[in-house]
Amino acid sequence: MACEKSNNTPVADTAAQTCPNPKAADPAKPKPCCVCLDEKASRDECLLLWGQDSGKCDDMITKYKSCMKGFGFSI
């Protein structure tokens, strides 16, 4: 069995090489824990001080969600 590289060159299957899983996550996409760190810290601090029900953190929550959406995550 042969796999295809991105340049469409066949590669022989060996124990060290396997066909890429098309359902696997994109390796170039960062993990959600590693993006929007400043927005997350501001949001978390506000929520700890004021709580979500106060409404004082809505703007920071929206900024965090927009930032995450920019990286392809939906919250």
Side-chain angles (χ1 to χ4, degrees), residues 4 6-7 19 38 58 64:
E4 298 256 346
S6 59
N7 64 0
C19 295
D38 293 336
D58 292 347
Y64 177 70

Side-chain angles (χ1 to χ4, degrees), residues 36-67:
C36 305
L37 298 178
D38 293 336
E39 291 84 352
K40 182 178 180 180
S42 298
R43 178 206 65 178
D44 290 350
E45 183 178 351
C46 182
L47 289 172
L48 284 172
L49 292 173
W50 302 105
Q52 187 169 359
D53 294 334
S54 71
K56 295 181 179 184
C57 305
D58 292 347
D59 187 45
M60 291 181 196
I61 293 170
T62 302
K63 286 179 184 178
Y64 177 70
K65 286 182 178 181
S66 296
C67 180

Side-chain angles (χ1 to χ4, degrees), residues 12-34:
D13 229 1
T14 67
Q17 292 176 322
T18 60
C19 295
N21 183 354
K23 294 183 182 179
D26 182 7
K29 185 176 179 180
K31 294 182 180 182
C33 62
C34 302

